[in-house]
Amino acid sequence: MATHSDPFGHTRRPTDPPRLFTWDVQAPGNAPQSCGVTSDRSTAIAHVRDTLTAAPTGAQGTVRRVTISSSGHIAYLDLGLVAHAEQTGNGVSWVSRETHDR
């Protein structure tokens, strides 16, 4: 069975579930919420950054690593926080952010 390595040396087999990243931004009060899923970590972080840039002070955004549930139900299993940011009124502040993908 063939395997593939990513730039960080992590090996993946073709049978491994896809790496997915959810992103969401929640604004304070009744302001709209944005969210999405992508297979690219950088894209998820960019969505949070761009959405928070235009969001009101106090809005918060997260990126989480997920995988598809094998239970037969349509669901994601949360594999952990990748990044968390907030709109401070002076711009986007990254409260926590991994420097590389695991």
Side-chain angles (χ1 to χ4, degrees):
M1 179 180 306
T3 60
H4 305 280
S5 294
D6 65 19
F8 302 104
H10 301 110
T11 303
R12 294 185 43 77
R13 297 176 306 246
T15 57
D16 288 345
R19 286 192 179 158
L20 298 172
F21 300 89
T22 60
W23 63 273
D24 68 87
V25 174
Q26 209 165 17
N30 294 328
Q33 178 178 334
S34 296
C35 62
V37 179
T38 179
S39 61
D40 184 14
R41 177 183 174 275
S42 297
T43 298
I45 289 172
H47 278 300
V48 168
R49 181 196 63 230
D50 295 347
T51 304
L52 281 176
T53 297
T57 299
Q60 297 187 27
T62 59
V63 175
R64 301 192 73 78
R65 185 178 295 101
V66 298
T67 192
I68 299 169
S69 171
S70 61
S71 69
H73 295 91
I74 299 172
Y76 295 113
L77 299 175
D78 186 344
L79 300 177
L81 182 69
V82 172
H84 177 80
E86 57 187 34
Q87 172 55 269
T88 64
N90 293 319
V92 177
S93 174
W94 292 96
V95 179
S96 64
R97 185 169 164 186
E98 291 180 348
T99 57
H100 66 281
D101 184 22
R102 289 189 262 163

